[in-house]
Amino acid sequence: MRRSWLLGLIVCTGLIHLATLSVDSTVLHWIFKLLPMALIITLVVCSVPDGRGQAVYRKLILTGLLFSLLGDAFLLLPDDPWFVFGLGAFLTGHLFYVAAMVARWFKQQSLISWYGVLAGLIIVIYSVLLGSRFYERISGDESLSGLWIPVVVYITVIGAMCFTAIMSRNAFAIVGAILFIASDSILAWNKFVADVPNSGLLIMSTYFAAQMLIASSVQKVKNVGEAAAKPKNIPL
């Protein structure tokens, strides 16, 4: 299947899911929430890795996507305890994403840079602020008290995923990771703190975009800053 057709199918099925969020149909929700992810997984399988060493990267991203698909299935089931299982599946998927980003990061000539330090600082501050707000809400509700540790672990791992994506210098991975944080932040805020208007639309649109971009990072592309780093031939 041509890559352009596959991307088109991902977008179309994702839009159908967004359009049917308010429709009371379990069958529609199962089909059009899982089908885009299945197509995104196919996108990775059909992608051309960026060199021999990127085969490992593709396998790690593919495994992460499979766990994400499992997490989606758990979240389609009635609330607790399936929410915790879904959280665990997504957490495992993020760990594979982190491993993939670290593998690509360590291939860079410079492992630490000023923007990496800045990005890390911003991610830490955001995670602490978000986590403290969740703690206020969870600690005040006995029915949610058991979720605090899993939520802290999840925030830490997704923050690490975003940081390592930035350090990998792959534009698709960076934007995908940032969108993933946006999606999960809206989901968690809506569940633990207060209702977010159009939360379903915001969560799923950023989620599908994040997964598609992370999957696209497997394809051979130029890294951020690569073109600028290459010397240009200036005619004399």
Side-chain angles (χ1 to χ4, degrees):
M1 183 182 291
R2 291 184 58 182
R3 182 179 175 83
S4 57
W5 281 96
L6 192 52
L7 289 171
L9 283 174
I10 293 169
V11 172
C12 286
T13 52
L15 289 174
I16 291 173
H17 176 69
L18 296 178
T20 57
L21 281 173
S22 59
V23 177
D24 186 16
S25 172
T26 303
V27 174
L28 277 178
H29 293 166
W30 274 86
I31 291 175
F32 289 104
K33 186 176 184 182
L34 301 184
L35 184 55
M37 281 302 299
L39 291 170
I40 289 171
I41 290 170
T42 305
L43 178 67
V44 173
V45 173
C46 297
S47 294
V48 178
D50 184 7
R52 243 180 112 185
Q54 296 304 325
V56 173
Y57 181 85
R58 176 166 66 172
K59 290 177 182 177
L60 290 169
I61 293 295
L62 181 60
T63 306
L65 286 167
L66 289 170
F67 274 101
S68 294
L69 179 63
L70 181 62
D72 282 327
F74 281 136
L75 293 184
L76 283 167
L77 297 171
D79 211 4
D80 300 328
W82 300 114
F83 177 80
V84 177
F85 289 128
L87 195 69
F90 280 115
L91 177 66
T92 306
H94 286 320
L95 288 173
F96 278 101
Y97 288 161
V98 169
M101 304 303 177
V102 168
R104 181 168 276 177
W105 173 17
F106 282 8
K107 290 183 180 296
Q108 305 297 328
Q109 292 181 350
S110 176
L111 296 181
I112 298 295
S113 58
W114 67 267
Y115 63 81
V117 174
L118 179 61
L121 183 61
I122 292 172
I123 291 169
V124 169
I125 292 173
Y126 178 78
S127 299
V128 170
L129 291 175
L130 197 66
S132 62
R133 190 68 182 90
F134 291 159
Y135 178 75
E136 292 175 8
R137 176 65 182 87
I138 292 173
S139 62
D141 189 336
E142 292 184 1
S143 65
L144 298 174
S145 59
L147 291 176
W148 172 238
I149 293 178
V151 167
V152 169
V153 173
Y154 192 90
I155 290 174
T156 302
V157 171
I158 196 171
M161 190 267 286
C162 187
F163 175 72
T164 52
I166 291 170
M167 298 309 295
S168 76
R169 300 185 184 180
N170 183 279
F172 288 140
I174 293 170
V175 179
I178 293 171
L179 286 175
F180 226 131
I181 284 186
S183 178
D184 284 344
S185 296
I186 297 169
L187 187 153
W189 192 274
N190 189 67
K191 182 175 180 63
F192 298 122
V193 181
D195 290 338
V196 177
N198 300 312
S199 59
L201 183 65
L202 294 172
I203 291 165
M204 293 312 302
S205 59
T206 51
Y207 171 73
F208 283 142
Q211 294 284 30
M212 186 170 70
L213 287 168
I214 290 173
S216 297
S217 70
V218 174
Q219 188 75 10
K220 185 174 182 179
V221 293
K222 288 184 178 180
N223 290 336
V224 174
E226 182 179 310
K230 289 184 177 179
K232 297 182 180 179
N233 294 324
I234 303 175
L236 298 176

